[in-house]
Amino acid sequence: MTGLRYVYAVCHPFGTPLQAQLTGVAGDPPRLLHHHGLVAVVSHVPERDFAEEPLRGHLEDLDWLTATARAHQGVIDALTVVTTPLPLRLGTVFRDDSGVRVMIEEREDAFRRTLDRLRGRVEWGVKVYAGAEPADSTDSEAPPEKAASGRDYLRQRRMRVRSNEDMWQRAEDFATRLHETLSGFAEDSRLHAPQNPTLSGVSGRNVLNAAYLVTRSESEEFVELVDRTKDDVPGMRVELTGPWAAYSFAGEEENR
């Protein structure tokens, strides 16, 4: 089949086959390209969509981008089941197999260092959400009592503000303790910026958005640790995702 080469990830050689019905970006099944003792996972994509100019335009098309990202992630997820992949950036494309081989040679040392460091490890994501965003808290569940005077109104308002401050302080304290506990168990951790609820569509304020690098053999214990600690404070919601390829720990050099 002709076309450009779309590269999903670089891995150490592995013996377990990928699932038979797996398809990648543009519907083409991924294949393995071996070079210098490393493996690039690639598939063919049409030049009309993935050459530099059309690709730049497609990246502005949310529907196209969503479908492509889903197919890309599907291949990474399948690889994570059988090996430790080093994911490349969405839309990494080369003219042909020779271009992929040159890329491997140019970045070989960095690939090997990172793959050796991540071998046998996966990433788990943990998010903590606290209540709902406090707009002004005049919309709390119980309607505020009618103020008898301006002074009474200010007193009620101060009480509502103090209640909100106490709630967010408890949330921050809980998130800090949880992160310290999970970081003590994991080999490495990363704190990401809190998610914007307007963009994520998830209710509540995101007070912890973290990733943890954990060996596969200890992943079950890590999940149990999250389960044991997530109900320590009422009103907190803990979301655990994974296991993922170790995106957060690949390093900038490997994801250019």
Side-chain angles (χ1 to χ4, degrees), residues 35-38 102-113:
H35 189 61
H36 278 209
L38 294 173
V102 169
M103 180 271 294
I104 290 176
E105 292 174 8
E106 289 177 345
R107 301 168 63 182
E108 182 175 355
D109 290 344
F111 284 151
R112 291 187 186 281
R113 284 195 304 271

Side-chain angles (χ1 to χ4, degrees), residues 73-134:
Q73 187 60 46
V75 174
I76 300 298
D77 289 345
L79 285 167
T80 304
V81 173
V82 299
T83 188
T84 301
L86 178 56
L88 299 189
R89 180 186 296 173
L90 181 75
T92 299
V93 179
F94 295 89
R95 172 63 57 185
D96 50 26
D97 286 355
S98 295
V100 179
R101 292 190 182 98
V102 169
M103 180 271 294
I104 290 176
E105 292 174 8
E106 289 177 345
R107 301 168 63 182
E108 182 175 355
D109 290 344
F111 284 151
R112 291 187 186 281
R113 284 195 304 271
T114 304
L115 286 168
D116 288 344
R117 178 168 56 86
L118 299 180
R119 189 194 296 267
R121 292 159 177 81
V122 292
E123 176 176 326
W124 290 91
V126 176
K127 295 183 177 69
V128 175
Y129 298 93
E133 287 287 349

